Amino acid sequence: MKVRVSVQLKPGILDPQGKAVEQGLHGFGFAVDHVRIGRLIEMDVPGTDPAEVKAKAQAMCDKLLVNPVMEKASIEVL
């Protein structure tokens, strides 16, 4: 099954990349605020039970994909 993991910085964690993008957009005349940069991970996970596949994806996040000190993840089974 296809799984999509969205990883974002937790609130309160500084995002220098987001700040640089925000300033660049302002330079082009776009009015934006609070730009945050994250990652999107898509993968195929073997299984037919969505709950089991989501649990596997959560284990992957816990062990490798997400730094729990700075980041949070949302998992979507497609």
Side-chain angles (χ1 to χ4, degrees), residues 26-37:
H26 287 167
F28 283 115
F30 294 104
V32 296
D33 290 314
H34 311 293
V35 175
R36 306 281 284 176
I37 302 295

Side-chain angles (χ1 to χ4, degrees), residues 1 11 13 17 23-24 26-27 30 34 40 43 45 48 53-54 56 68-69 75:
M1 299 184 87
I13 300 293
Q17 188 178 11
Q23 290 172 347
H26 287 167
F30 294 104
H34 311 293
L40 180 66
M43 59 188 147
V45 178
T48 56
V53 168
K54 187 172 184 175
K56 287 179 185 177
V69 174
I75 301 168

Side-chain angles (χ1 to χ4, degrees), residues 10 61-62 66-72:
K10 288 182 176 180
C61 289
D62 294 343
V66 177
N67 176 349
V69 174
M70 298 175 46
E71 299 172 319
K72 60 181 180 173

